[in-house]
Amino acid sequence: MGFFDKIKAGLRRTTAAVTDQLNDLIANFVEVDEETLEELEEALILSDLGATVAADATSRVADVARHQRIDSPLALRCALKDVLVDMMTEDTGLNTTTNPSVILVIGVNGVGKTTSIGKLAHRYVQEGHRVMLSAADTFRAAAADQLEIWAKRAGADIVRHGEGADPAAVVFDSIAAAKARGCDIIIIDTAGRLHNKSNLMNELNKIDRIITRELPDAARETLLVLDATTGQNAVHQAEEFNKVAKLTGIVLTKLDGTAKGGIVVAISGGLHVPVKLIGVGEGLDDLMDFERSAFVEALLPPVEDFER
Ligand SMILES: Nc1nc2c(ncn2[C@@H]2O[C@H](COP(=O)(O)OP(=O)(O)OP(=O)(O)O)[C@@H](O)[C@H]2O)c(=O)[nH]1
Ligand SMILES: [Mg+2]
């Protein structure tokens, strides 16, 4: 299955929610006027774009309409597609240009950090890399057990300490082991239970210092994992994490569930951090590189509906 089909399948339940509103609006569309713009904004908010991003998208469509004729359902769909794609941060892949490279994975409890790490490890191993997983979620013993299961499945190495150990010490040992074994990619799992902001900042700073000291020239990624089904709450988390860590990308999980696809536009458009990966299921292969154009194409009602 290609990106488009998989997204489409993943978003099937979702698209219904988006499509009902947008479908009606687009299908019955005649011209851009006050009323259609209001309806458009409402439909976009219902698709989880959030009020601010929906208003921005709507005013951009109005702008387009001032310069070019939008006088058919298909023309509206095209204009809307261009606007939404434009609003999202440009696609960039993960930077893993050094050996080793370091990918730090953060996010709140239960969003899919460990699962995404397992999938990512699988992908890199399939591509012929040697991968080291670092179990820096020492909050509970089960976290390292879970990561170990993924390491086995993916064929990756793992370094873990006991429950309650210092996460930065785990990172230190993982880097040493990765160097000794010639691993290309180090992926660090972190605890999702740091509700206190200064606590989180301290832990991330400590990990950051270790990486900078031990691997000063390494390519780095700091990925924030967000659960797409939590809607605007995911946007809020992104804003909070963006204040305490230098995020390089977003991993948006559970897009196969009840999520509304507009959440991707809200996050990518509102935050200026690129969505780099999306999770569309619980299996090893259910992680995909994000492509904004293909995503919006899958999000909007199919072109065939408006052609005759
Ligand atoms: N449907 C679906 N489920 C997912 C996806 N990603 C993760 N999950 C599920 O979400 C649940 C939580 O995933 P974890 O990977 O344990 O989340 P975590 O962020 O590591 O959680 P903590 O370690 O407790 O902070 C698990 O049941 C996963 O199977 C996805 O893309 N789609
Ligand atoms: Mg976890």
Side-chain angles (χ1 to χ4, degrees):
M1 239 196 287
F3 181 85
F4 184 81
D5 294 327
K6 198 141 184 188
I7 287 288
K8 197 85 196 164
L11 285 176
R12 193 158 291 137
R13 260 186 290 169
T14 306
T15 346
V18 178
T19 311
D20 281 353
Q21 298 292 324
L22 277 183
N23 239 346
D24 285 356
L25 177 77
I26 299 175
N28 301 316
F29 174 79
V30 182
E31 59 172 350
V32 175
D33 57 19
E34 283 293 312
E35 199 186 332
T36 40
L37 287 173
E38 253 171 53
E39 284 169 11
L40 177 63
E41 189 169 337
E42 202 182 300
L44 293 175
I45 291 172
L46 288 170
S47 317
D48 244 348
L49 257 78
T52 316
V53 177
D56 187 10
T58 306
S59 81
R60 286 176 191 232
V61 170
D63 266 353
V64 174
R66 275 191 275 279
H67 299 108
Q68 81 194 46
R69 248 188 25 184
I70 304 182
D71 57 1
S72 68
L74 194 58
L76 176 63
R77 187 197 186 277
C78 288
L80 188 57
K81 186 194 163 185
D82 290 347
V83 161
L84 295 179
V85 170
D86 239 30
M87 286 174 72
M88 290 198 260
T89 312
E90 214 172 318
D91 300 331
T92 51
L94 295 178
N95 178 8
T96 54
T97 45
T98 62
N99 282 345
S101 300
V102 183
I103 302 171
L104 176 66
V105 180
I106 60 180
V108 306
N109 186 12
V111 287
K113 293 181 295 298
T114 306
T115 305
S116 300
I117 289 168
K119 296 171 183 174
L120 196 56
H122 170 70
R123 174 202 286 196
Y124 283 129
V125 170
Q126 291 297 304
E127 288 173 0
H129 294 286
R130 182 149 184 188
V131 178
M132 169 63 68
L133 300 187
S134 179
D137 177 359
T138 57
F139 190 85
R140 59 200 167 96
D145 292 343
Q146 190 192 352
L147 192 68
E148 189 151 3
I149 292 168
W150 279 108
K152 283 214 180 80
R153 245 184 243 169
D157 291 30
I158 181 170
V159 164
R160 59 178 294 184
H161 289 187
E163 187 178 341
D166 179 2
V170 180
V171 171
F172 180 87
D173 283 355
S174 312
I175 292 174
K179 284 179 180 170
R181 299 179 207 173
C183 296
D184 306 309
I185 293 163
I186 304 169
I187 313 178
I188 304 168
D189 193 16
T190 59
R193 282 169 189 72
L194 296 161
H195 290 306
N196 170 328
K197 202 161 141 187
S198 70
N199 203 342
L200 171 69
M201 233 179 331
N202 285 342
E203 180 164 321
L204 293 180
N205 281 339
K206 211 165 157 191
I207 290 175
D208 185 70
R209 276 201 305 276
I210 297 282
I211 302 170
T212 307
R213 195 182 73 205
E214 299 303 312
L215 292 169
D217 302 318
R220 303 264 301 264
E221 289 279 351
T222 300
L223 302 179
L224 175 66
V225 181
L226 298 170
D227 176 343
T229 62
T230 62
Q232 292 303 304
N233 191 27
V235 178
H236 177 68
Q237 284 168 24
E239 287 165 354
E240 289 304 306
F241 272 90
N242 207 21
K243 289 180 199 155
V244 297
K246 227 178 105 222
L247 303 178
T248 60
I250 305 280
V251 181
L252 203 56
T253 62
K254 311 187 194 182
L255 273 169
D256 52 313
T258 53
K260 294 178 185 165
I263 191 66
V264 180
V265 186
I267 286 166
S268 181
L271 206 71
H272 309 295
V273 178
V275 175
K276 292 200 172 174
L277 297 164
I278 55 175
V280 292
E282 297 180 272
L284 271 176
D285 291 315
D286 293 328
L287 185 76
M288 321 179 62
D289 287 324
F290 181 72
E291 293 167 36
R292 58 186 177 159
S293 180
F295 184 83
V296 174
E297 193 57 49
L299 186 67
L300 293 175
V303 171
E304 308 88 77
D305 288 7
F306 309 111
E307 284 172 338
R308 60 179 79 146

